[in-house]
Amino acid sequence: MMSSLTRAVALAIGLVTLLAVPAIAGGYERVRIPHDDYQLDAVLFRPPGPGPFPAVVALHGCGGLWREPDKLSLRHSDWGERLAATGLIVLMPDSYGSRGLGSQCGVKDVTIRASRERVGDAMAARRWLQERPDVRRDAIALLGWSGGGSTILAAIRKDRRPADRQPDFVRAVAFYPGCRTQSESGSFEARLPTLILMGDADDWTPPAPCDFLAKAARARGEPVEIVLYPGAVHDFDHPRLDRREKEGVAYSASGTGKVTVGTDPAARDDAIRRVKAFLMGK
């Protein structure tokens, strides 16, 4: 007959063994996060081993999380696998698919706003991660691309500090966010160390408002850094995207609905190095 102590040890070993196994062969697992009155769909990448690990909540851009119904976009799968290999748990909430929406890149009157609903998604993701035994509750960061990057800037404001008395996010990375709203806000103050990465030739989310935002924040003593890559455009960190013109965009610098997107290998390599070091607190 198994004693209570033996049974407890066996259960503990079983839990460690479970956590030591990668989620699924594809590199990620699909999870659901309780949020308000519905479930927020998400994908989770995790390193091998029991942890606990630092984690990052990663927010997609206006195109959403998926390229096909059961295939993550190449950017998200590439970054998820890279960051998990670095030793981070990576949680990517699906803000659009969870609500029955597709790409929002051509939609002017969006219903899922970067500064409202998507900030709420990020906060729900943080709370969900903090309930996991394989996550370091006090070491959860934020990362976002484009519209997700705009959410990052809204989420790091001092007046958006979580009210649940749980550990806050520790740092944030924003790839080519739209900065105009926050740069024109008289009340913007950053509470977290933040890294903004963008191309200086970006004609979708122009860099000038972000440069202004970062310089103003630093002048106030806030730890906001911006890196502008010469000649790089929107989506410069994509693993393989030929440089091309994209049409049908709701908001573009030219007002024509046309923007330039494409991988910049040098900028991408530098960004990978910076992001890994920054998220790991190095």
Side-chain angles (χ1 to χ4, degrees):
M1 188 112 178
M2 185 181 291
S3 69
S4 298
L5 177 61
T6 303
R7 186 180 299 108
V9 171
L11 288 172
I13 292 172
L15 176 61
V16 169
T17 303
L18 174 64
L19 292 175
V21 178
I24 59 172
Y28 64 86
E29 65 173 313
R30 300 183 76 152
V31 298
R32 308 198 89 183
I33 301 168
H35 183 30
D36 294 335
D37 57 351
Y38 71 99
Q39 298 285 313
L40 183 64
D41 296 326
V43 298
L44 182 79
F45 294 81
R46 70 180 308 279
F53 302 102
V56 58
V57 175
L59 306 175
H60 60 72
C62 67
L65 199 56
W66 306 91
R67 57 186 166 123
E68 295 178 24
D70 291 311
K71 289 185 180 179
L72 280 179
S73 80
L74 292 178
R75 175 192 291 108
H76 299 113
S77 60
D78 179 75
W79 273 108
E81 290 166 6
R82 285 180 181 278
L83 295 178
T86 303
L88 287 155
I89 285 182
V90 185
L91 180 63
M92 297 182 174
D94 185 1
S95 291
Y96 297 156
S98 302
R99 297 171 169 96
L101 300 173
S103 172
Q104 300 292 288
C105 295
V107 179
K108 288 193 173 182
D109 297 321
V110 295
T111 56
I112 307 305
R113 297 161 291 182
S115 61
R116 294 291 180 183
E117 289 80 9
R118 299 206 64 195
V119 171
D121 290 353
M123 297 300 181
R126 175 185 58 84
R127 292 190 296 269
W128 185 85
L129 283 170
Q130 288 173 332
E131 293 177 356
R132 290 178 61 97
D134 57 347
V135 172
R136 289 176 50 195
R137 301 174 66 252
D138 60 350
I140 301 175
L142 278 167
L143 184 149
W145 296 270
S146 196
S150 301
T151 297
I152 299 300
L153 298 182
I156 66 168
R157 292 174 56 108
K158 286 187 178 179
D159 56 11
R160 301 297 291 273
R161 190 184 303 274
D164 58 12
R165 298 186 180 182
Q166 298 303 313
D168 196 359
F169 293 108
V170 292
R171 55 185 58 87
V173 178
F175 277 94
Y176 33 86
C179 292
R180 188 171 301 281
T181 297
Q182 302 303 335
S183 68
E184 293 177 352
S185 168
S187 59
F188 177 86
E189 291 183 83
R191 73 177 189 276
L192 304 177
T194 301
L195 176 63
I196 300 172
L197 301 169
M198 44 193 332
D200 70 359
D202 196 317
D203 59 359
W204 192 342
T205 52
C210 294
D211 193 37
F212 175 86
L213 180 79
K215 288 177 178 176
R218 287 199 302 274
R220 295 189 297 267
E222 299 157 24
V224 178
E225 177 186 359
I226 186 168
V227 178
L228 297 177
Y229 294 109
V233 297
H234 212 78
D235 292 332
F236 70 81
D237 64 307
H238 194 286
R240 56 176 188 274
L241 179 62
D242 292 337
R243 190 158 173 154
R244 62 180 178 83
E245 184 178 79
K246 180 181 177 71
E247 299 182 352
V249 171
Y251 297 99
S252 61
S254 65
T256 64
K258 298 179 180 180
V259 296
T260 309
V261 297
T263 303
D264 185 295
R268 169 178 154 80
D269 289 346
D270 184 78
I272 289 171
R273 176 184 62 79
R274 287 179 186 270
V275 168
K276 286 181 177 180
F278 185 77
L279 291 179
M280 297 301 287
K282 298 178 181 178

